[in-house]
Amino acid sequence: MSQSKASPAASKSNAAMTLRYCTRCLEPSSRPGATFDEEGVCMPCRYAESLDGINWETRRKDLQKIADWGRARQSGGYDCLIGVSGGKDSTRQAFYVRDELGLKPLLVCCSYPPEQAADRGAENLSNLVEHGFDLHYVSPSPETWKKMMRLSFREFAQWTRPTELALFSSVVRCATSFKIPLIFLGENPALAFGSKSGSLDGDAKNIRAYDTLSGANIEPWLDWGIPKEKLYWYTFPSDHEIERAALRLVYLGFYIRDFNDIANGQFALDHGFMPRKGIEADPYETGSINAFECVDEDFVHVNQFLKFIKLGFGKVIQQVSVQIRHGEITREEGLKLARAFDGRCSDRLIENFCQYLEITTEEFWDVVDKNRNRDLWQLTNQGEWELRFKPE
Ligand SMILES: [Zn+2]
């Protein structure tokens, strides 16, 4: 990879931040919100361990009560709303809610601009429509979208902040507009991955606390010169508006025993979902070992690479941790995969990303250099960056 090289002086560090890994899976301590118990076991591992002891019949009844509540409260024709990308989780959610809970859902997709979206994403959405679901499509202006992505990349070395804001805000906005009382989200990210999510159960009303949303505040965007009238789909309704609409946000995954990446991926494949293929699924290229995750666009891999620079772990660490927790692979097998593929992102993907954002690759590597966490990275004698802490 043609990374720019920083001066050795820039790599000096007092090693204030260290990186350790869950003793069961490979969950890293640098993930915002990560917690470990006295045995060094992460919270998602403990949660996965507890699944067998949960009374799923009771949870199913609780979920049915929520479903009945939604059906009784709706006044716009739809019982609930699901934000979809056509991916594995939203496909499972849509079918479950309709076929198992007997609800009438409206699916809402906040789409990537055509320039960014992958064809397979559109095909996966068509797949849902062909299975009889109603789909409402929100397409925020590509120009503002790209401008905000570029700002976010330059400011945070994370392009997804505005797009995640739009994905979540548009879902809540559509629910209030269409008088739909109930929104189903997928997994609670705190239980599934150990990220911040604002709750440890099925209640998703504090979704603003979700790490990428950072409070879902549009003020910084106004300060950076994005006019308010361009921010409609990025503006999360206030707590007051959500309360007035008596809106309920629920993590569906909390109520389903096997709602996880592995089972959802299989379910989606069995129901017409199209995964990545060929070079787009090559872990050397993408830094991902899972061909059915985040398939609707390709810059996700660049974002995972940037996370690797800032926090010392990429997508594969998360993917193998899920697989270890669910008994699909051993920790040793996970380690091999993580060592081989974590943090990879091809020059081709980075060049495509720069071309789309209309920035030079020099600027890309400057941002990488500025954001490289010197507590976690060090320069070798050959002038290459390497992680000070490796999973073991
Ligand atoms: Zn763990």
Side-chain angles (χ1 to χ4, degrees):
M1 196 176 293
S2 59
Q3 298 189 23
S4 66
K5 297 196 173 62
S7 66
S11 72
K12 273 187 188 163
S13 160
N14 57 9
M17 186 180 189
T18 57
L19 188 49
R20 64 192 180 99
Y21 300 87
C22 171
T23 51
R24 296 274 168 86
C25 70
L26 293 177
E27 179 65 24
S29 60
S30 57
R31 184 195 293 284
T35 55
F36 298 82
D37 66 14
E38 62 286 352
E39 289 173 47
V41 178
C42 74
M43 210 263 286
C45 273
R46 289 297 185 207
Y47 181 66
E49 236 174 49
S50 75
L51 291 176
D52 283 339
I54 290 169
N55 185 335
W56 291 100
E57 218 170 293
T58 307
R59 275 207 192 168
R60 180 66 173 74
K61 281 182 191 153
D62 291 344
L63 180 59
Q64 195 60 54
K65 276 185 209 151
I66 294 170
D68 294 343
W69 178 92
R71 196 185 289 106
R73 295 292 289 264
Q74 65 96 347
S75 55
Y78 294 97
D79 304 320
C80 66
L81 185 151
I82 302 170
V84 300
S85 63
K88 61 178 174 37
D89 293 341
S90 49
T91 298
R92 177 109 191 260
Q93 279 170 264
F95 278 88
Y96 191 94
V97 157
R98 183 188 67 182
D99 300 342
E100 302 289 328
L101 297 179
L103 293 176
K104 185 177 179 193
L106 176 66
L107 310 187
V108 171
C109 174
C110 178
S111 71
Y112 290 104
E115 205 184 342
Q116 183 182 359
D119 289 347
R120 71 184 98 78
E123 288 178 40
N124 284 329
L125 283 170
S126 301
N127 177 49
L128 284 173
V129 175
E130 279 162 16
H131 275 96
F133 293 99
D134 288 355
L135 174 68
H136 181 74
Y137 214 67
V138 174
S139 297
S141 151
E143 199 186 327
T144 306
W145 181 276
K146 186 188 287 194
K147 205 172 182 174
M148 290 173 75
M149 267 178 72
R150 194 163 47 224
L151 279 166
S152 184
F153 168 69
R154 286 176 173 156
E155 193 67 25
F156 307 111
Q158 182 186 21
W159 65 257
T160 53
R161 287 203 185 202
T163 60
E164 292 273 323
L165 193 54
L167 296 182
F168 283 100
S169 302
S170 58
V171 160
V172 181
R173 278 200 167 270
C174 286
T176 51
S177 303
F178 292 120
K179 299 189 184 344
I180 302 172
L182 182 58
I183 297 176
F184 281 115
L185 304 170
E187 285 177 291
N188 182 335
L191 299 173
F193 312 115
S195 337
K196 285 186 216 161
S197 81
S199 85
L200 290 176
D201 52 26
D203 184 356
K205 73 169 179 294
N206 291 323
I207 188 68
R208 279 165 194 274
Y210 186 39
D211 191 42
T212 317
L213 294 178
S214 302
N217 186 357
I218 60 158
E219 295 304 324
W221 302 105
L222 297 171
D223 293 344
W224 287 322
I226 308 290
K228 196 167 183 201
E229 63 270 20
K230 300 272 188 191
L231 289 169
Y232 181 85
W233 292 111
Y234 302 84
T235 308
F236 208 86
S238 66
D239 288 343
H240 178 66
E241 282 173 278
I242 291 174
E243 255 172 56
R244 202 177 48 201
L247 197 59
R248 198 159 170 186
L249 289 94
V250 174
Y251 291 116
L252 183 66
F254 181 74
Y255 298 92
I256 303 171
R257 171 71 176 86
D258 69 341
F259 195 97
N260 59 54
D261 287 350
I262 302 155
N264 293 359
Q266 193 52 56
F267 180 91
L269 288 172
D270 294 343
H271 290 79
F273 164 80
M274 186 180 288
R276 291 175 180 279
K277 285 188 182 126
I279 191 174
E280 308 296 351
D282 179 352
Y284 283 103
E285 182 83 7
T286 62
S288 164
I289 54 164
N290 183 335
F292 45 82
E293 246 176 77
C294 303
V295 302
D296 48 353
E297 66 88 53
D298 292 329
F299 301 150
V300 61
H301 306 307
V302 180
N303 205 55
Q304 290 295 332
F305 169 69
L306 293 166
K307 187 176 80 180
F308 185 58
I309 295 297
K310 293 178 290 184
L311 299 175
F313 71 97
K315 188 69 177 177
V316 176
I317 287 266
Q318 177 176 311
Q319 291 170 329
V320 297
S321 292
V322 170
Q323 292 185 14
I324 296 166
R325 250 169 246 149
H326 293 286
E328 298 280 314
I329 58 172
T330 64
R331 193 174 188 279
E332 201 48 46
E333 287 165 330
L335 265 174
K336 278 189 197 144
L337 290 165
R339 285 183 188 138
F341 304 119
D342 201 41
R344 284 187 181 271
C345 182
S346 70
D347 288 344
R348 180 185 68 90
L349 287 166
I350 290 169
E351 276 157 27
N352 289 348
F353 175 73
C354 292
Q355 201 175 1
Y356 168 73
L357 272 199
E358 298 168 37
I359 61 168
T360 62
T361 49
E362 286 73 23
E363 180 180 355
F364 179 85
W365 290 111
D366 279 348
V367 170
V368 168
D369 192 45
K370 277 193 200 99
N371 285 277
R372 192 182 291 276
N373 188 332
R374 266 60 174 176
D375 288 343
L376 303 180
W377 291 87
Q378 63 190 1
L379 275 176
T380 63
N381 293 336
Q382 287 73 41
E384 300 285 334
W385 286 108
E386 67 170 13
L387 276 173
R388 290 173 194 272
F389 309 92
K390 305 241 170 62
E392 52 182 22

